[in-house]
Amino acid sequence: MKRLRRIPILLMILAVCLISSSFQASVVESSGYPVVLNGETVYFETAPFQTGGTMMVPMREWANKLGASVEWDASTHSATAVREGKEWKVSVNQTTAYRNGTSHEMEQPAVINGDHLMVPLRAMSEGLGYIVKWDSVGEQVLVDDEGLFLPKVGTYDNLKALLAATVQKEETNLKLQGDSALIKSPMAMESAAVATGGSSADFSGTNLQVEGVDEGDLVKTDGEYIYQVNENRVIITSAVPATDMKILSTIDLNDVIHPADIYVDDRFLVVVGSAPVENRVLPMTKEKARTQDLVMPAIFPNSTKAVVYSLENRSNPALVREVELEGNYVASRKIGDSLYFVTQQYLNAYAILEKGQETRAPQYKDSAQSEEPIEIGYDQITYFPDFSGSNYLHVAGFRLDKGTEPVNVSTYLGAGEQVYVSLNHLYVTRTQYDKDEAAASESTEQSMKLRLPSRPLKANSQIFKFRLDEGETRYVASGTVPGTPINQFAMDEYEGRFRIATTTGDMWRNDEHTSKNNLYILDEAMNVTGKIEGIAPGERIYSVRFMGNRGYMVTFKTVDPLFAFDLSDPASPELLGALKIPGYSDYLHPYDENHLIGFGKEAVEVVEKDASGRAVGQPQAYYQGMKVALFDVSDITRPIELFNETIGDRGTESELLHNHRALLFSKEKNLLAFPVTVAEVSENKKNRMDVVSHGDFVFQGAYIYSLDPVNGFQLRGKISHLSEEDMAKAGQYWYDSRKNVQRILYIGITLYTLSPSEIRANDLQTLKPIQSIAIPPGS
């Protein structure tokens, strides 16, 4: 018996040896990338190795370098590293790690190699509060402590010095740009969300730019209730069954918040918006205001709130938390149980520097900590290198499910313009002008002598990258590319790479400084690894969509080129196809991996002619009705417009064209719907070929289509909340009425249209009305 028992033991030892031998061979093949910790190269006694693209390091040795302690639990075959209140735990042969008790999946399991426990470098480092980046230029792994990245403002005197430098820079830019300067508002950021798309449950959810990153909207549903922002209220409606639809409760927000967006999950309702004027964090005291001699305040008391309600009792939701941050609302996102929002706070540099008006440090409030404002000290405020704009950028995050944990607030001196958010990162762009002031000044003088347009000051986009981690935000890196993006869809993160599409130059020029369009790919350290520049000279970007290893761009001046890109090689992206058609698309939406839907305007190109019939000047394009098109991009080298649909004539508008939240789309249900205000040109005007005249108002409501690649767009019906009397009173033009349909959603087999005055339920197949409830005006 004893001899028989030895056989399996010997076999196990032999197997381990074979595996170990094979394992060591793979180590030799895949090791070699240096690791740089806080700027210094790390040397390991036990060599790291790569498996499946993941760098594995010896846990105890790496923990020592990170300043962490490690404890081994033999009974559970697990190890725990602790650093500055952060705990990270792994078990042998498991891909699940626990960070402060919360589970996270790793790319590779922790494994025993000889006498060492080998763990993924990224997962462990980030679990202990470090930032990890792959630097493709230096071919090295960068691991940094957050405190090493950005300089601190430090003192009020240094704040004034920094403001003086940026004011001088802005004045120089304006002087050099002259009358052609394009001055971007510091509040040019757009927060976009979509009330569309399908979900795993049988109701429409928010159509997300990034799966798993929720975006706020005016309307949300959880499949049983509908939540609607309605005239400074949130109205909760019991929507199922549709025949018994009724308003369950109304949350009056007049003294709490001016709502812009809401979020809903199974436990909480979150309202994000601006705080009422009388309730803002720290308005100027009356005594101080009397001493300012009517000078504009050095800091405006605008502030943004996130208000959290418990949905345990939807008939009477309870307010459980308020977080208020100074500055204007820029953007917000919800990832799991964490809410993030960004504000921008204007500083009146003139009042501070010229009038000597003393200002205070920025502040915030968090009811989980105190009812009193909490000051953000100058020693906590950092600034972006070579920043511009007299603004504070605040980035805040907190966990909804941990109501006693304080909000995490990071404040940066510097402005921003566009925001994009992935599952793990938040990106903010700002425009930075060319430093070659001497050349620009010389060019300006020459242009004045020759009466030519002056050389424009070159605009670049500086991109700031922040890591999002369970309610915490941390600055990671920055990069710069030529040109500026149009909106959040011009940016994307895929497999650790950041992609951005920009426009440089001016459309109205016809020299070397005319507009051009570009696409850039950056690595984790924000180094440019690949690019395509000089696309469609003389035009500008109207819309962009990234879909995996593909990218699509629409530019426009007189025609609409749809460009298709292969982005599978980050070092060498390729422009493979283009399609030129009349009109343009303001928004591109995926139908599936091989088809794309474009929403925009039809356009007519007009060539002015003299009395002899000769063309005069450049052709001009005049937009007409709303255009919806389906593109086949299965052959990326040859995009095809399969179908198109034109709605109304010049004057037709849809919120969808400037706010993609207005779209409802479900491929599974063969459903496409959006609100639209339709204008039509009379036959008399059409006969005169008057492409400039606007049509007369004929409809406001929802257009509902079926859509597939075989049959194209099939108009199933229209739903309006306007009565015949409303239409009779409408006249030539319509206006922003309480009866305007704003959103469309579905729950099961019921389609709901929502306006401020009504929620109407219709059969999803026949569109026949089922029930409606009137919503009285707010007080």
Side-chain angles (χ1 to χ4, degrees):
M1 292 293 291
K2 290 182 180 180
R3 189 172 182 178
L4 289 173
R5 287 176 182 172
R6 289 177 183 171
I7 293 175
I9 294 174
L10 290 172
L11 289 174
M12 288 175 62
I13 293 173
L14 179 61
V16 169
C17 290
L18 289 172
I19 293 172
S20 176
S21 175
S22 172
F23 195 63
Q24 292 295 338
S26 67
V27 171
V28 173
E29 291 176 2
S30 59
S31 62
Y33 291 118
V35 177
V36 180
L37 174 61
N38 291 337
E40 296 186 6
T41 302
V42 175
Y43 299 96
F44 290 90
E45 293 181 9
T46 302
F49 62 85
Q50 280 193 289
T51 178
T54 299
M55 178 170 282
M56 307 291 287
V57 293
M59 181 172 178
R60 188 175 296 276
E61 186 179 350
W62 184 232
N64 290 336
K65 297 180 186 300
L66 297 179
S69 60
V70 175
E71 291 186 3
W72 169 257
D73 186 342
S75 63
T76 60
H77 300 284
S78 62
T80 303
V82 179
R83 172 186 177 265
E84 296 180 359
K86 293 181 172 62
E87 180 184 274
W88 189 75
K89 181 179 180 179
V90 291
S91 298
V92 177
N93 296 330
Q94 299 296 317
T95 57
T96 302
Y98 293 87
R99 185 170 54 202
N100 292 339
T102 302
S103 63
H104 294 268
E105 289 301 310
M106 302 184 294
E107 297 89 347
Q108 297 291 333
V111 295
I112 297 292
N113 181 28
D115 296 329
H116 304 281
L117 177 62
M118 308 295 289
V119 298
L121 177 143
R122 180 185 295 275
M124 179 178 175
S125 303
E126 292 178 346
L128 294 175
Y130 283 82
I131 299 295
V132 181
K133 296 169 287 185
W134 166 246
D135 175 12
S136 62
V137 174
E139 292 194 328
Q140 56 190 351
V141 180
L142 305 179
V143 183
D144 296 294
D145 195 341
E146 177 190 17
L148 299 177
F149 291 117
L150 294 176
K152 303 281 187 181
V153 171
T155 65
Y156 182 65
D157 286 341
N158 196 38
L159 171 69
K160 291 195 292 184
L162 291 166
L163 287 177
T166 191
V167 167
Q168 182 179 12
K169 189 188 309 177
E170 289 170 352
E171 289 176 349
T172 302
N173 289 344
L174 288 172
K175 180 180 178 182
L176 294 176
Q177 286 284 76
D179 294 335
S180 67
L182 175 62
I183 307 303
K184 288 184 176 289
S185 163
M187 285 312 302
M189 291 184 179
E190 295 182 4
S191 170
V194 192
T196 160
S199 65
S200 57
D202 196 17
F203 59 88
S204 55
T206 303
N207 179 21
L208 306 173
Q209 182 184 6
V210 179
E211 186 178 356
V213 181
D214 197 7
E215 305 182 23
D217 195 11
L218 297 175
V219 174
K220 295 280 186 177
T221 182
D222 55 15
E224 187 173 354
Y225 302 93
I226 294 175
Y227 308 80
Q228 180 190 22
V229 174
N230 188 308
E231 299 176 2
N232 229 47
R233 305 167 293 177
V234 172
I235 294 175
I236 303 177
T237 299
S238 176
V240 178
T243 52
D244 297 329
M245 185 168 54
K246 61 182 178 181
I247 294 176
L248 200 62
S249 60
T250 299
I251 305 174
D252 186 350
L253 299 171
N254 279 312
D255 297 326
V256 182
I257 189 174
H258 296 308
D261 291 317
I262 58 174
Y263 295 87
V264 171
D265 58 29
D266 57 350
R267 296 175 59 190
F268 299 105
L269 162 70
V270 184
V271 186
V272 184
S274 60
V277 174
E278 62 276 12
N279 290 339
R280 286 174 179 161
V281 173
L282 263 187
M284 292 178 63
T285 63
K286 293 180 180 179
E287 182 177 348
K288 178 172 280 192
R290 284 195 295 268
T291 67
Q292 298 306 318
D293 299 326
L294 301 179
V295 175
M296 289 184 68
I299 206 167
F300 289 122
N302 295 344
S303 62
T304 300
K305 268 188 176 183
V307 184
V308 184
Y309 292 87
S310 169
L311 292 178
E312 186 175 353
N313 179 6
R314 288 176 175 80
S315 297
N316 186 24
L319 193 157
V320 295
R321 187 172 185 177
E322 293 186 42
V323 176
E324 185 175 353
L325 195 60
E326 286 191 310
N328 295 307
Y329 178 42
V330 172
S332 64
R333 298 290 190 273
K334 181 177 177 290
I335 303 174
D337 291 316
S338 298
L339 182 79
Y340 303 92
F341 63 106
V342 179
T343 71
Q344 191 149 254
Q345 182 179 11
Y346 174 69
L347 283 168
N348 188 342
Y350 173 78
I352 295 171
L353 300 174
E354 300 296 327
K355 293 294 183 178
Q357 182 179 350
E358 185 175 350
T359 188
R360 56 171 174 77
Q363 299 183 341
Y364 66 93
K365 289 175 70 175
D366 180 7
S367 63
Q369 300 178 68
S370 169
E371 292 301 320
E372 298 300 318
I374 300 169
E375 185 171 275
I376 304 169
Y378 292 112
D379 60 336
Q380 299 173 277
I381 302 172
T382 55
Y383 61 93
F384 301 127
D386 196 32
F387 77 94
S388 63
S390 304
N391 300 272
Y392 288 128
L393 185 72
H394 302 293
V395 184
F398 64 96
R399 291 283 297 263
L400 297 173
D401 59 334
K402 296 186 177 181
T404 59
E405 286 189 359
V407 63
N408 299 284
V409 180
S410 300
T411 297
Y412 309 88
L413 186 61
E417 289 153 15
Q418 302 292 347
V419 171
Y420 164 79
V421 183
S422 70
L423 276 170
N424 298 310
H425 297 103
L426 180 147
Y427 297 84
V428 178
T429 70
R430 72 169 177 87
T431 302
Q432 181 185 41
Y433 289 101
D434 197 334
K435 295 179 182 178
D436 188 8
E437 297 172 0
S441 180
E442 181 181 350
S443 175
T444 301
E445 292 177 5
Q446 292 174 351
S447 297
M448 290 176 66
K449 291 177 182 178
L450 299 174
R451 297 191 177 186
L452 296 173
S454 62
R455 172 188 182 273
L457 205 60
K458 182 180 178 182
N460 299 317
S461 284
Q462 195 165 14
I463 309 152
F464 302 107
K465 178 180 179 180
F466 304 86
R467 177 161 176 79
L468 306 178
D469 186 6
E470 295 186 1
E472 295 184 10
T473 64
R474 291 177 291 167
Y475 173 79
V476 174
S478 65
T480 302
V481 297
T484 55
I486 186 172
N487 56 29
Q488 71 181 62
F489 284 95
M491 298 179 279
D492 176 75
E493 183 185 87
Y494 183 70
E495 294 183 346
R497 305 277 178 168
F498 178 73
R499 293 95 69 92
I500 182 170
T502 67
T503 299
T504 57
D506 297 313
M507 285 181 64
W508 55 269
R509 302 184 72 105
N510 57 8
D511 56 15
E512 70 271 23
H513 303 300
T514 192
S515 60
K516 301 179 183 69
N517 305 286
N518 322 284
L519 190 149
Y520 300 95
I521 302 178
L522 294 82
D523 65 13
E524 288 188 313
M526 301 305 284
N527 301 308
V528 174
T529 63
K531 61 185 178 181
I532 303 174
E533 296 180 312
I535 304 165
E539 304 183 2
R540 73 167 177 87
I541 292 174
Y542 269 65
S543 57
V544 183
R545 193 78 195 212
F546 293 98
M547 296 166 56
N549 280 321
R550 292 185 178 186
Y552 303 95
M553 175 193 298
V554 169
T555 63
F556 180 76
K557 188 172 185 180
T558 58
V559 293
D560 172 6
L562 170 67
F563 295 99
F565 304 89
D566 180 359
L567 310 177
S568 56
D569 182 356
S572 184
E574 294 184 84
L575 197 169
L576 295 184
L579 170 68
K580 291 190 176 184
I581 53 177
Y584 57 87
S585 297
D586 289 293
Y587 172 61
L588 296 173
H589 187 90
Y591 176 86
D592 57 24
E593 63 274 13
N594 291 317
H595 296 87
L596 199 62
I597 314 171
F599 301 90
K601 288 288 185 72
E602 184 61 273
V604 174
E605 184 178 270
V606 176
V607 178
E608 297 292 337
K609 297 182 178 180
D610 60 17
S612 302
R614 291 174 297 186
V616 178
Q618 296 294 320
Q620 300 294 318
Y622 294 89
Y623 75 84
Q624 302 298 300
M626 181 177 177
K627 179 180 178 180
V628 188
L630 181 66
F631 302 100
D632 182 346
V633 291
S634 54
D635 180 355
I636 194 172
T637 65
R638 195 172 62 92
I640 300 171
E641 184 183 66
L642 288 180
F643 302 96
N644 68 73
E645 179 89 353
T646 301
I647 303 170
D649 297 309
R650 188 173 172 88
T652 297
E653 294 294 339
S654 172
E655 185 181 355
L656 171 58
L657 301 182
H658 56 84
N659 179 0
H660 58 280
R661 286 178 283 193
L663 177 65
L664 171 67
F665 171 70
S666 171
K667 178 175 178 286
E668 293 73 23
K669 290 186 178 291
N670 197 5
L671 173 65
L672 178 76
F674 48 86
V676 61
T677 300
V678 182
E680 293 182 353
V681 174
S682 66
E683 290 300 322
N684 182 40
K685 288 183 179 179
K686 284 184 178 180
N687 291 336
R688 289 190 286 115
M689 295 297 292
D690 188 353
V691 299
V692 181
S693 297
H694 284 248
D696 297 333
F697 169 75
V698 296
F699 176 83
Q700 199 292 321
Y703 267 45
I704 298 96
Y705 287 91
S706 295
L707 172 63
D708 63 71
V710 175
N711 301 299
F713 299 94
Q714 302 290 321
L715 182 63
R716 294 173 51 193
K718 310 173 187 178
I719 299 174
S720 177
H721 290 190
L722 301 178
S723 65
E724 292 183 5
E725 183 180 358
D726 294 325
M727 291 298 299
K729 294 178 179 179
Q732 186 177 3
Y733 303 102
W734 190 233
Y735 56 93
D736 187 15
S737 165
R738 290 191 73 248
K739 294 186 177 182
N740 284 1
V741 173
Q742 296 176 316
R743 296 290 185 270
I744 308 105
L745 60 87
Y746 70 82
I747 302 175
I749 59 172
T750 305
L751 186 76
Y752 298 83
T753 53
L754 294 94
S755 68
S757 68
E758 180 184 355
I759 300 178
R760 185 175 297 186
N762 306 270
D763 183 275
L764 184 58
Q765 297 302 318
T766 66
L767 301 185
K768 291 181 179 179
I770 299 173
Q771 179 65 282
S772 68
I773 54 172
I775 303 174
S779 57

